[in-house]
Amino acid sequence: MKTRHFLLTLLASVTLLATGPIAAQQQRPVRLVVPYAAGGPIDVTARMLAERVKDTLGPVIIDNKPGAGGNIGADIVAKAPPDGLTIGIAATATHAVNPWLYSKIPFNAATDFAPITQMVRVPNVLVMNAETAQRLKINTVADLIRYAKANPAKLNYGSGGNGSAGHLAGELFKKQAGIFALHIPYNGGNPAQLALLSGQVDFNFDNLATAAPNIRSGKLKAIAVTTLQRSSAMPELPPVADTLKGFSIDTWWGLVAPAGTPHEVVVKLNQAFVAALNAPETKTRFATLLAEPVASSPEQFGAFMKSELSKYEAVVKATGARVD
């Protein structure tokens, strides 16, 4: 019996050594930190993928850590042990905008994370109050620019706050179009949309998923999307870039691990989540959120985040926006 027990113990030890951190990872649940509150699009998509990868990775537990524009949750991931057991969401705000928006940030977006894969791209959309658009005879981006130039300082636009995606898109639009419109910041995207619906502001750059119900009901007039190409969610809408060359600001998020996570662990995570993103069921469910799945290699996602960080440096500095 003692010999048999020794052999079984030895076999177990050899197996653990042979498989390393991946095997250890499969023994414990993976913690996926979402740096935003439960119920939003980022949280919903993370939960969808967590369900689909459980057969490959084992249980994936969603841990919502909202606060400081996503910085609190991102910092938790940055400082977690690099063993693949803690991963998190990297988003436009946390990894492209906040490093330039906040004077102090507790992590380095460029060096403290190991990219796994991009998850999602959600177009933003230029929208007007439908009655305002009809009254001012604005149906296209060119119409809006023409009206703004003919009526200096008559237009305003709302956003979810200084430094928000809507604010940055609006300022970039003004700069490239050569127009002026007063920015009115609100405390969040929902109040900004309510202001647009009630006619308090003239136009907004909103998340397409958020704006879509009011576009379909006829309360909002959709003018253009902010991606370089048309969106499959609303293919009838032209890009702003058709009028203002190169204009591109969309919302994206993906998965990252702490820097120093072993390459083989990152590869295993990438393979599991890419398979989940490419599943037909995932594409169907994401479509209900007007979100487009984007599966990529760790190298592709890393290069993309680097380019976004550089792009938003110029955009944020041009607006002069600061949070602290």
Side-chain angles (χ1 to χ4, degrees), residues 273-295:
F273 281 103
V274 164
L277 286 164
N278 287 332
E281 181 186 345
T282 300
K283 294 180 179 180
T284 300
R285 295 181 70 185
F286 276 28
T288 63
L289 300 171
L290 301 186
E292 303 170 12
V294 181

Side-chain angles (χ1 to χ4, degrees), residues 3-29:
T3 302
R4 183 171 178 271
H5 177 74
F6 172 77
L7 290 174
L8 288 173
T9 302
L10 180 63
L11 179 61
S13 300
V14 170
T15 302
L16 181 60
L17 288 171
T19 53
I22 295 177
Q25 176 176 311
Q26 290 177 332
Q27 297 299 315
R28 294 165 55 193

Side-chain angles (χ1 to χ4, degrees), residues 30-35 42-43 45-50 53 57 60-62 77 84 86-92 94-95 112-120 252-259 261 265-266 268-277 286 294-302 304-305:
V30 175
R31 177 194 188 198
L32 201 174
V33 178
V34 176
I42 292 179
D43 176 69
T45 55
R47 292 177 188 275
M48 287 182 189
L49 292 187
V53 300
L57 300 177
V60 176
I61 299 172
I62 303 298
V77 177
T86 298
I87 61 176
I89 296 289
T92 314
T94 57
H95 283 67
D112 287 351
F113 302 89
I116 297 172
T117 179
Q118 188 173 345
M119 284 171 54
V120 172
W252 55 264
W253 57 91
L255 293 166
V256 292
T261 300
V265 175
V266 172
K268 181 177 176 64
L269 290 165
N270 172 268
Q271 291 172 344
F273 281 103
V274 164
L277 286 164
F286 276 28
V294 181
S296 61
S297 69
E299 293 75 19
Q300 288 170 331
F301 188 37
F304 173 74
M305 287 197 293

Side-chain angles (χ1 to χ4, degrees), residues 105-164:
I105 197 166
F107 57 86
N108 187 318
T111 61
D112 287 351
F113 302 89
I116 297 172
T117 179
Q118 188 173 345
M119 284 171 54
V120 172
R121 176 176 57 240
V122 180
N124 295 320
V125 60
L126 170 58
V127 284
M128 294 188 69
N129 178 291
E131 292 181 359
T132 301
Q134 184 177 23
R135 175 169 52 83
L136 300 181
K137 297 180 174 59
I138 296 175
N139 294 298
T140 66
V141 173
D143 290 341
L144 179 59
I145 295 172
R146 193 179 302 115
Y147 179 87
K149 288 184 175 180
N151 299 272
K154 288 288 183 69
L155 291 176
N156 58 32
Y157 77 97
S159 82
N162 287 319
S164 67

